[in-house]
Amino acid sequence: LSMIPLLDEISVARVCFKSHFVEKVNVNTKTKAYIIGLVRMLESMGFDTAIDNVRKQTDSDFLYALGINVLSGSRFGAPLTIEALRGDEECLDKEEEANG
């Protein structure tokens, strides 16, 4: 617990939880309480919370309800390139030409 005051001095915007919490939090009440407490503490400090490897709608609904506000994984689709996110068709055309 001596590290908690130091968190305010660190330049961090988001704290990511390991994906194995997805399985454990649904079945273990201690883990669920632990995650809820951590998420609330991190929210009060101004941090976003994230978890990866979310595969099912029920998991994403449950994690949002716990307060985790950034989710990623196959449930949300395949990762996109920067060009695709920008909608930069010229860069995409050049990439296609280079790949043959």
Side-chain angles (χ1 to χ4, degrees):
L1 292 178
S2 63
M3 193 174 121
I4 290 177
L6 297 175
L7 289 176
D8 199 28
E9 299 171 15
I10 299 173
S11 177
V12 175
R14 179 176 297 146
V15 175
C16 298
F17 292 95
K18 294 276 191 176
S19 61
H20 71 272
F21 279 123
V22 174
E23 294 90 29
K24 291 183 179 183
V25 79
N26 279 321
V27 295
N28 188 322
T29 55
K30 283 185 181 181
T31 302
K32 182 178 178 181
Y34 174 72
I35 295 296
I36 290 170
L38 281 173
V39 168
R40 287 184 180 156
M41 179 189 73
L42 292 166
E43 273 181 354
S44 72
M45 296 175 73
F47 296 118
D48 283 336
T49 52
I51 195 161
D52 63 352
N53 204 26
V54 178
R55 296 183 180 141
K56 297 184 273 182
Q57 174 73 41
T58 55
D59 288 341
S60 63
D61 292 344
F62 182 70
L63 293 166
Y64 274 131
L66 288 180
I68 296 174
N69 55 3
V70 179
L71 304 176
S72 65
S74 60
R75 156 87 180 94
F76 302 100
L80 299 173
T81 64
I82 293 295
E83 291 81 13
L85 286 170
R86 287 188 200 146
D88 191 350
E89 293 179 24
E90 183 177 319
C91 287
L92 292 173
D93 291 340
K94 288 179 183 178
E95 186 178 309
E96 287 176 13
E97 287 174 13
N99 291 331

